[in-house]
Amino acid sequence: MQTIHWKINKQQSNNLIYQKAAELLQNGECVAFPTETVYGLGADATNQAAIQKIYAAKGRPSDNPLIVHIAKREQMDQFIASYPPKALQLMEAFWPGPLTVILPLKKDSLAANVSAGLSTVGVRMPEHPVSLELIATANIPIAAPSANRSGKPSPTTAEHVIEDLDGEIAGIIDGGPTGVGLESTVIDCSLDVPIILRPGGITKEQIEQVIGAVDLSTNSMTETEKPKAPGMKYTHYAPKAPVYLVEGSSQFWQSEINKVGIAGKKLGILATKELTSKLATSAVIQSTGSIKAMDEIATSLYKGLRAFDHADVDIIFAEVYPETELGAAIMNRLEKAAGNRRISE
């Protein structure tokens, strides 16, 4: 398949791009587009064959549900069975934005493979002019996971999408780099006490300011359990080389770096400038920015992980961050990328 590449030009009208991309979506094809979190791979959420193309292009397990993206709240009425009061409060507070709300699904309203057979579905309204315009032009709910091969770091630029999916999907809209850099927060509002299934750009602290106390998923699942949201069950966000989370002082880091050197292995380091400035090493370093700017770390995380695939490293050491506010989402992604491999002082 030849993938059409479009580039958004902020100095001129892009209506023709949106029309062409919307036609592909309406005709059952997959189109990648930017959101404020990462690039998504979209298809018509009511078309079973179109959704199957997402799973095929990504190599995604069929029991891993998809998130449905909308441009207007009214679009939800065709497939959502009911709106719990706390869900409505969250939508009012954070939409459009990086928050996915899991709600009861109307039977036979969406393609069954969107929800992986569950009676609930995750919905969000992205805060990005390109995604909102595309969804509005197509005038259909768009199911869209991240636009990458399953298991790899998520794409934050069109180049990342091209690297993974060029020739596998119908189109890619290049709207520049994404902003948040981590996938949306997913909260299950189908329960009496809402539970955060995946931390993201909207923090637990922000949510609790709006609706009060919420639970936080442990993310531990058995092989036979069905995940209610993406990012819960499988290894995700991982580059080719094994990732190890390293927790300790700069002296401990230095000793672990020296061990890798003695073993004759090529090391990659994903860490803040504060830490890397204290290390004596010839390792390939991808800086995540400053520890004082967690939003900067979130934005640069996937770009850094992907860069190691082009650096031919044997092993990757990643810094550990405090698991508060945005740090919880950053650590969630790093723990998935590392498969819970950790070296502690």
Side-chain angles (χ1 to χ4, degrees), residues 53 64 184 191 209 253:
K53 290 179 183 179
N64 203 2
S184 61
L191 308 168
Q209 284 179 0
W253 265 81

Side-chain angles (χ1 to χ4, degrees), residues 163 239-241 265-270 282-286 303-316:
E163 188 177 282
K240 293 173 185 173
K265 293 185 177 180
K266 187 175 179 183
L267 176 65
I269 294 175
L270 183 72
S282 60
V284 176
I285 293 175
Q286 289 295 325
K303 181 182 177 184
L305 286 170
R306 278 182 169 266
F308 290 122
D309 282 351
H310 302 283
D312 196 30
V313 297
D314 301 307
I315 187 172
I316 299 164

Side-chain angles (χ1 to χ4, degrees), residues 205-274:
E205 292 84 353
Q206 288 174 298
I207 288 170
E208 290 186 330
Q209 284 179 0
V210 176
I211 61 170
V214 299
D215 288 335
L216 188 61
S217 171
T218 61
N219 267 326
S220 59
M221 300 192 71
T222 66
E223 284 301 309
T224 56
E225 282 184 280
K226 279 191 174 183
K228 291 189 79 173
M232 291 186 69
K233 183 175 177 181
Y234 299 95
T235 300
H236 289 271
Y237 325 119
K240 293 173 185 173
V243 177
Y244 288 82
L245 304 183
V246 180
E247 187 173 25
S249 64
S250 57
Q251 292 86 355
F252 178 72
W253 265 81
Q254 190 67 60
S255 69
E256 292 302 314
I257 288 168
N258 294 343
K259 289 177 189 176
V260 174
I262 292 168
K265 293 185 177 180
K266 187 175 179 183
L267 176 65
I269 294 175
L270 183 72
T272 57
K273 61 185 181 183
E274 286 88 351

Side-chain angles (χ1 to χ4, degrees), residues 76-314:
M76 299 169 64
D77 294 341
Q78 63 182 282
F79 59 90
I80 294 302
S82 63
Y83 298 93
K86 287 183 179 179
L88 291 171
Q89 287 177 270
L90 290 173
M91 292 175 209
E92 188 65 35
F94 298 115
W95 279 10
L99 182 74
T100 294
V101 181
I102 290 185
L103 297 164
L105 180 61
K106 278 184 184 175
K107 193 174 181 182
D108 300 327
S109 59
L110 296 177
N113 48 355
V114 167
S115 61
L118 297 169
S119 61
T120 56
V121 69
V123 190
R124 88 177 189 97
M125 186 189 296
E127 189 179 18
H128 194 290
V130 173
S131 47
L132 288 173
E133 188 66 34
L134 176 62
I135 297 163
T137 304
N139 197 29
I140 48 177
I142 302 295
S146 54
N148 58 298
R149 290 290 296 175
S150 193
K152 288 189 67 175
S154 298
T156 54
T157 67
E159 288 73 25
H160 295 161
V161 182
I162 291 166
E163 188 177 282
D164 280 12
L165 299 178
D166 199 24
E168 302 291 331
I169 61 176
I172 299 170
I173 301 177
D174 183 350
T178 61
V180 177
L182 296 176
E183 295 84 353
S184 61
T185 304
V186 179
I187 184 164
D188 187 352
C189 286
S190 68
L191 308 168
D192 290 338
V193 178
I195 181 169
I196 295 174
L197 300 180
R198 181 181 72 186
I202 303 296
T203 67
K204 180 175 185 280
E205 292 84 353
Q206 288 174 298
I207 288 170
E208 290 186 330
Q209 284 179 0
V210 176
I211 61 170
V214 299
D215 288 335
L216 188 61
S217 171
T218 61
N219 267 326
S220 59
M221 300 192 71
T222 66
E223 284 301 309
T224 56
E225 282 184 280
K226 279 191 174 183
K228 291 189 79 173
M232 291 186 69
K233 183 175 177 181
Y234 299 95
T235 300
H236 289 271
Y237 325 119
K240 293 173 185 173
V243 177
Y244 288 82
L245 304 183
V246 180
E247 187 173 25
S249 64
S250 57
Q251 292 86 355
F252 178 72
W253 265 81
Q254 190 67 60
S255 69
E256 292 302 314
I257 288 168
N258 294 343
K259 289 177 189 176
V260 174
I262 292 168
K265 293 185 177 180
K266 187 175 179 183
L267 176 65
I269 294 175
L270 183 72
T272 57
K273 61 185 181 183
E274 286 88 351
L275 174 58
T276 55
S277 67
K278 299 174 184 175
L279 304 175
T281 179
S282 60
V284 176
I285 293 175
Q286 289 295 325
S287 174
T288 53
S290 172
I291 191 66
K292 297 174 184 175
M294 295 300 282
D295 56 342
E296 186 181 339
I297 292 169
T299 301
S300 61
L301 189 69
Y302 291 144
K303 181 182 177 184
L305 286 170
R306 278 182 169 266
F308 290 122
D309 282 351
H310 302 283
D312 196 30
V313 297
D314 301 307

Side-chain angles (χ1 to χ4, degrees), residues 13-24:
S13 169
N14 296 285
N15 287 345
L16 192 58
I17 291 175
Y18 292 122
Q19 288 167 11
K20 294 290 187 185
E23 284 173 15
L24 287 174

